[in-house]
Amino acid sequence: MFINHPYINELIEETKGTTKEEIQKVLDIAKEKRGLSHKQIATLLNIDDDEQLQMLLEIAGEIKDSIYGNRVVVFAPLYVSNYCVNNCKYCGYKRDNKFPRVKLTREEIQREVMLLEKMGHKRLALELGEDPVNCDIDFTLDAIDAIYSTKNENGAIRRINVNIAATTVENYKKLKEANIGTYILFQETYHQPAYEYMHPKSLKGDYNYHLTAFDRAMEAEIDDVGGGVLFGLADYKFEVLGLMLHNEHLEEKFGVGFHTISVPRLKKAEGMSIEEFPNIIDDKTFKKIVAVIRLAVPFTGIILSTRESAEMRKELLKYGVSQISAGSCTDVGGYKDREDGRTVTQFTLEDHREPMDILKELVSDGYIPSYCTACYRSGRTGDRFMRLAKSGQIHNVCQPNALMTLFEYMLDYGDEDLMEKGKKLIEKELEKIESDKVREMVRKNLNKMTSGTRDLYL
């Protein structure tokens, strides 16, 4: 199996006594943006000195800026069912937790989507528990169709990324036909003994079947996949190295690795206590993890959710994160519940701000909030996207598209304050577009949008 436990453990043991001088040599290599070996990644995971950590963060920030610029992709999760046959020790949806299980009807899904569209969202992450009887693949496909077919006066959801349990090639083909964006699946932990302990008497408990889900998805021609682990279940060094080995396996076998990597930290959930988990990581370690991942896979998107505080999200946007959720609800029917004054969550959230407030802060900090889905709809996915990113040409497409989606949001949902701040940012960013032709095209599209046209992109 491509997650070689003895090899990872040897790397961790070999680099355990790493000196500051050895770390400095790797940091100097990292500045050259030529990639890192497994041993070099393991070496950086031993950084403890505050000065070297700051150097690591700054290098990660420079790399992120050179590839992604100041764009930040914005999305929201949509939970449509909390039925689950698994008994994961860390999850509020686990089988042994006794609470009324629900799944949304088609009409209820569309109601949630309307509320999300009212917030300005164009990109969703579809989430549901694993239950082959109550929530089979047909339920998922119908949910996708319900989302895509829901329209309001300001448009519709343009892309659905899907996070469902590991399944068969046949079912992944059905997801592909349903026009999904990225297929997302967290390994939870790459450490097999920890994995099996965390998933007792569960369908999800088959480590190898779960681990090879992306192989089956790619065999079904889903070429955008997003991985991740739940930091806090096992040694974080093992997890980061596991992520890298998994990414390399996909690159070697299919020509492209992870489109995104998510970095959730374990949070308090119903039916569990944080004290039961000895591998919880502190803020300093978490920052190091994000920065090392950015150095190791510079062209892969890094996703940070509202599990983290506004302050942490703000800081990590500088050092590697390129996608964030906004205004998230993590319970089934949560957006309607919140509108009605009820709040229930699957796990503890830290950033409770409305999407508008998040966008205002992003714009004030010089970021371009992006709701763009153009690459998905233009066939720039998988290895085609990565080739564009690695060539440096991604700026010529993504920067203009981000500006247009920000302006669209401002026109349809923004208030006077956002409009004033956003116009200044857009004008400043337009001048940075190197191609006169592209700059003029964007200006014309902005004028068309002012006159009522929507969904314009390169």
Side-chain angles (χ1 to χ4, degrees):
M1 187 54 66
F2 51 86
I3 302 300
N4 187 327
H5 283 59
Y7 173 65
I8 295 175
N9 287 328
E10 286 170 12
L11 282 172
I12 294 171
E13 189 64 31
E14 183 182 354
T15 56
K16 190 177 289 184
T18 297
T19 65
K20 289 178 65 175
E21 290 73 23
E22 289 169 328
I23 290 172
Q24 189 60 51
K25 287 180 182 178
V26 178
L27 287 171
D28 291 340
I29 293 170
K31 292 177 185 177
E32 299 173 9
K33 305 176 187 176
R34 294 185 303 183
L36 298 173
S37 68
H38 298 154
K39 185 176 179 180
Q40 288 167 341
I41 293 168
T43 296
L44 293 182
L45 289 171
N46 284 284
I47 289 177
D48 190 52
D49 177 76
D50 288 343
E51 186 176 335
Q52 287 190 321
L53 175 61
Q54 188 57 39
M55 189 180 301
L56 169 71
L57 295 175
E58 289 174 3
I59 294 169
E62 291 168 5
I63 289 174
K64 186 222 169 181
D65 186 62
S66 68
I67 295 168
Y68 288 93
N70 55 346
R71 300 183 304 279
V72 179
V73 171
V74 181
F75 72 96
L78 174 59
Y79 288 76
V80 296
S81 170
N82 57 22
Y83 280 93
C84 194
V85 298
N86 296 317
N87 215 22
C88 311
K89 289 181 177 291
Y90 49 83
C91 184
Y93 283 178
K94 65 183 176 183
R95 185 181 67 237
D96 282 358
N97 280 351
K98 304 305 179 186
F99 62 91
R101 303 281 173 165
V102 295
K103 64 178 181 180
L104 301 184
T105 64
R106 184 180 178 89
E107 292 72 24
E108 288 169 334
I109 291 171
Q110 292 182 308
R111 181 187 65 196
E112 292 283 283
V113 172
M114 291 292 283
L115 292 171
L116 284 158
E117 289 175 350
K118 282 174 62 178
M119 296 181 216
H121 284 294
K122 304 298 182 187
R123 179 195 298 234
L124 299 184
L126 181 64
E127 313 269 357
L128 60 158
E130 182 172 13
D131 189 323
V133 174
N134 290 294
C135 300
D136 60 7
I137 190 65
D138 291 332
F139 173 79
T140 302
L141 296 172
D142 190 57
I144 292 169
D145 181 69
I147 295 167
Y148 276 140
S149 62
T150 303
K151 316 289 183 185
N152 69 15
E153 64 271 19
N154 292 333
I157 300 301
R158 296 169 183 161
R159 190 55 45 184
I160 306 167
N161 296 335
V162 174
N163 183 354
I164 66 167
T167 187
T168 63
V169 173
E170 180 183 357
N171 284 342
Y172 286 128
K173 286 180 178 178
K174 292 177 181 179
L175 291 178
K176 174 72 174 178
E177 291 168 3
N179 204 26
I180 71 166
T182 303
Y183 172 60
I184 298 168
L185 185 69
F186 300 166
Q187 182 59 27
E188 313 297 6
T189 172
Y190 282 98
H191 190 266
Q192 187 167 358
Y195 183 94
E196 291 169 352
Y197 171 77
M198 293 293 172
H199 306 97
K201 298 180 180 178
S202 302
L203 278 181
K204 190 173 178 177
D206 187 335
Y207 175 87
N208 288 331
Y209 186 76
H210 196 81
L211 184 63
T212 54
F214 290 143
D215 292 63
R216 294 189 296 280
M218 286 191 168
E219 286 170 20
E221 299 185 353
I222 295 176
D223 55 3
D224 266 10
V225 299
V229 297
L230 182 55
F231 286 101
L233 300 184
D235 177 13
Y236 73 89
K237 295 178 183 179
F238 193 100
E239 304 291 29
V240 173
L241 291 165
L243 276 165
M244 296 306 104
L245 291 178
H246 197 170
N247 184 71
E248 287 180 11
H249 162 75
L250 295 175
E251 287 182 336
E252 291 169 2
K253 187 173 180 179
F254 298 101
V256 63
F258 294 137
H259 184 73
T260 59
I261 289 177
S262 297
V263 289
R265 279 195 283 182
L266 181 65
K267 296 289 183 178
K268 177 71 178 76
E270 189 65 32
M272 60 82 91
S273 170
I274 287 294
E275 285 68 34
E276 301 171 44
F277 299 86
N279 290 293
I280 298 296
I281 56 173
D282 59 22
D283 289 352
K284 179 178 177 180
T285 303
F286 187 53
K287 295 173 190 177
K288 176 172 65 176
I289 288 168
V290 172
V292 169
I293 291 174
R294 174 52 66 215
L295 266 59
V297 282
F299 299 98
T300 298
I302 299 180
I303 300 175
L304 193 61
S305 75
T306 49
R307 286 174 182 256
E308 297 298 332
S309 68
E311 294 75 18
M312 180 61 76
R313 284 163 32 113
K314 182 184 177 80
E315 185 169 4
L316 286 179
L317 279 170
K318 295 187 292 186
Y319 303 132
V321 168
S322 56
Q323 298 189 22
I324 61 171
S325 53
S328 303
C329 286
T330 60
D331 202 60
V332 179
Y335 296 101
K336 181 64 167 66
D337 286 345
R338 186 167 66 186
E339 186 180 59
D340 294 341
R342 300 186 301 273
T343 303
V344 182
T345 60
Q346 183 194 0
F347 46 79
T348 303
L349 301 180
E350 298 293 339
D351 189 348
H352 299 281
R353 294 174 297 165
E354 294 294 323
M356 175 82 76
D357 296 325
I358 292 174
L359 260 67
K360 285 182 181 179
E361 179 177 277
L362 289 172
V363 169
S364 295
D365 290 343
Y367 293 107
I368 308 170
S370 175
Y371 290 91
C372 182
T373 58
C375 283
Y376 290 116
R377 294 185 287 165
S378 302
R380 296 189 294 263
T381 58
D383 60 344
R384 294 175 294 285
F385 174 85
M386 282 300 176
R387 284 200 301 269
L388 191 64
K390 291 176 181 179
S391 71
Q393 296 302 309
I394 199 75
H395 287 297
N396 299 331
V397 177
C398 291
Q399 201 83 348
N401 284 339
L403 291 173
M404 287 186 282
T405 63
L406 171 59
F407 190 59
E408 183 181 72
Y409 181 99
M410 289 158 49
L411 290 171
D412 290 342
Y413 311 100
D415 58 16
E416 191 173 318
D417 182 36
L418 180 62
M419 184 64 74
E420 181 181 349
K421 292 176 178 176
K423 282 184 175 179
K424 289 179 181 177
L425 177 66
I426 289 172
E427 191 56 41
K428 178 181 176 182
E429 294 299 324
L430 279 172
E431 295 306 314
K432 296 180 183 178
I433 297 176
E434 296 178 2
S435 167
D436 293 339
K437 181 180 179 181
V438 172
R439 189 186 315 110
E440 185 58 29
M441 186 185 306
V442 174
R443 287 191 185 279
K444 287 180 178 178
N445 282 348
L446 295 178
N447 288 331
K448 289 179 182 177
M449 292 162 72
T450 302
S451 301
T453 305
R454 293 293 181 268
D455 196 18
L456 299 172
Y457 57 88
L458 305 184

